[in-house]
Amino acid sequence: MRIRPRPATPATRSRGGTAALVAAVLAVTAATTGCRADDPSPTTEREKSMFTNPVHHTDTPDPQAIRVGDTWYLFHTNADGRNVPVLTSPDLVDWTPAGDALPELPGWADPGKTWAPEVIALADDRYLLYYTVAGHESGRQCIGRAVATSPGGPYRDDSTAPLVCQADRGGAIDASPFRDTDGSLWLLWKNDGNAIGVDTWLWSQRLSPDGLSLVGAPHRLLKQTEAWEGHLIEGPFLWRQDGTLFLFYAANAYDRAEYAEGYAVCESPAGPCVKAPENPVLRTNTVASGPGHASMVAHNGRTWLLYHAWPPGQEGAVDPGRQLWLDEVTWDGGRPRVHGPTGTPQPRP
């Protein structure tokens, strides 16, 4: 509703003149400073360019992400009744639940323990999901593989048996696919030795070009040897940076503050690998407890580590569980430096 002006009187003319003068001064000030009363403040604009961990506050264990087009797809261990929960994001920071990437398990698998899924793109319409699941026949955790035509799924596993099981070594978990610079495909995993009181090794083996089967012999890369690793190492992934091949891994009990992340340098995906003397490179601090089971992504010339961590003092708690964290990795003298866990605002990727 507009208000019609009253007829001018000497008094109102005087007030109107004053108002006009004030308006003119404000207009000059705005033109000089470049600010308007309805403009966002500089603080607000700065806040929009920043983020603070964790980037997903609910249970997001064992995260791994790929980018397809302008969208990031993140997969993690089963939660909320979903076998392989998938989240999407435009920027690695703001994540939205996007359903179950693996709504049906194969006949050889039992539900309830679908862990540590990872995805690799082999073509624009072919994506491979490797995941850990309870094998019905072995009674141990085993690794399966599933295929989809789009990154978010649904993935289907038409196999009649696990891809890897190693039941005599406690089972097989934490599968991680890797494509090397020569185009070869590899699969890494851990034998779940801590389930039966034996050594936990990280393994690698060549994959067939279609990613559906293993070829050749498996290679043992690393096992627990250092005090900080406790009784196990797990969660392997390979990353090649400036020609050097790095094997990252988590170690110690997942539900304790001692859980942490380290790395080794490898001559090839088949090894040999040498652990870094500065390990662990990601460990508990005042803002995050038990950080680990990480994966790495590159975006706009920067490298980022996605990992899970507990709120301090809530290790092992169901709610909120292991939250999703994101921190930058820089390469100092050819070696990775993880800038985290970081609980203060930092620039978005």
Side-chain angles (χ1 to χ4, degrees):
M1 175 180 179
R2 297 184 60 185
I3 300 176
R4 296 174 59 86
R6 293 165 52 194
T9 66
T12 56
R13 285 193 195 100
S14 175
R15 288 194 294 270
T18 301
L21 177 60
V22 171
V25 171
L26 290 175
V28 171
T29 302
T32 304
T33 62
C35 296
R36 289 174 42 188
D38 59 350
D39 279 345
S41 68
T43 300
T44 300
E45 288 302 319
R46 181 179 183 276
E47 288 174 350
K48 289 180 181 178
S49 68
M50 308 291 282
F51 78 94
T52 303
N53 277 310
V55 293
H56 195 61
H57 288 261
T58 58
D59 198 29
T60 320
D62 311 327
Q64 185 255 355
I66 64 169
R67 190 181 186 211
V68 179
D70 294 328
T71 301
W72 290 95
Y73 295 82
L74 183 140
F75 310 87
H76 66 85
T77 284
N78 58 258
D80 298 326
R82 293 167 292 170
N83 294 319
V84 175
V86 56
L87 310 176
T88 59
S89 173
D91 56 10
L92 289 171
V93 173
D94 300 312
W95 293 96
T96 301
D100 191 341
L102 186 67
E104 295 184 14
L105 298 176
W108 55 264
D110 290 332
K113 295 195 294 183
T114 310
W115 300 345
E118 295 200 10
V119 168
I120 188 170
L122 297 189
D124 290 341
D125 60 351
R126 184 174 175 82
Y127 300 86
L128 268 290
L129 166 72
Y130 299 90
Y131 64 99
T132 302
V133 70
H136 181 72
E137 182 177 343
S138 67
R140 297 290 179 190
Q141 292 292 93
C142 303
I143 292 168
R145 85 294 183 277
V147 183
T149 57
S150 61
Y155 289 82
R156 288 183 53 85
D157 187 340
D158 60 1
S159 65
T160 58
L163 181 64
V164 186
C165 205
Q166 294 182 312
D168 59 335
R169 298 180 181 271
I173 69 172
D174 296 352
S176 180
F178 173 69
R179 189 200 299 272
D180 207 351
T181 50
D182 62 1
S184 61
L185 289 175
W186 295 81
L187 189 69
L188 285 79
W189 71 90
K190 164 208 173 182
N191 73 276
D192 202 20
N194 52 289
I196 59 172
V198 302
D199 285 336
T200 61
W201 282 90
L202 303 183
W203 300 74
S204 70
Q205 192 168 348
R206 284 284 296 266
L207 283 163
S208 58
D210 63 6
L212 297 179
S213 59
L214 294 165
V215 296
H219 307 274
R220 293 197 301 187
L221 302 179
L222 297 175
K223 72 171 185 175
Q224 77 286 351
T225 57
E226 309 302 315
W228 72 272
E229 296 168 347
H231 298 296
L232 65 95
I233 61 176
E234 62 185 16
F237 76 90
L238 286 171
W239 183 267
R240 195 174 282 281
Q241 182 75 21
D242 298 327
T244 301
L245 187 62
F246 296 89
L247 171 59
F248 289 83
Y249 63 94
N252 219 300
Y254 81 98
D255 56 354
R256 298 181 60 184
E258 289 77 11
Y259 199 66
E261 189 82 12
Y263 78 94
V265 176
C266 302
E267 290 188 13
S268 78
C273 302
V274 178
K275 294 178 181 179
E278 66 268 29
N279 283 340
V281 294
L282 180 71
R283 66 177 78 191
T284 293
N285 63 12
T286 57
V287 297
S289 184
H293 203 122
S295 62
M296 195 170 283
V297 297
H299 184 53
N300 290 337
R302 300 163 71 187
T303 310
W304 296 88
L305 200 70
L306 287 158
Y307 60 95
H308 69 231
W310 307 94
Q314 298 185 54
E315 299 85 0
V318 174
D319 186 13
R322 288 166 283 178
Q323 299 170 312
L324 177 64
W325 287 62
L326 176 73
D327 277 308
E328 189 169 8
V329 178
T330 57
W331 304 88
D332 301 334
R335 306 184 80 85
R337 180 187 172 202
V338 183
H339 297 263
T342 303
T344 54
Q346 58 181 309
R348 287 175 175 253

